[in-house]
Amino acid sequence: MNTFPLPAEPTARQNAFEESLGRWLLVALPVILVGHLLGGLALVAALISANFNILGWLE
């Protein structure tokens, strides 16, 4: 007896959503992560140039 209410195959609308979500994860997420990493490095460089003792914080 087949009582499963949803179709076994995804609809075209579901496929389009998953493809766009996958494209976002493959393109936008690495760009955002690299941007945050570069921003963090720029902040550390600014603090070092302002003579903050960052290496002393790490000890």
Side-chain angles (χ1 to χ4, degrees), residues 20-50:
S20 65
L21 184 64
R23 193 171 299 123
W24 185 88
L25 290 175
L26 285 174
V27 176
L29 192 60
V31 169
I32 291 170
L33 291 177
V34 168
H36 279 80
L37 179 64
L38 291 175
L41 290 175
L43 181 62
V44 168
L47 290 174
I48 288 173
S49 68

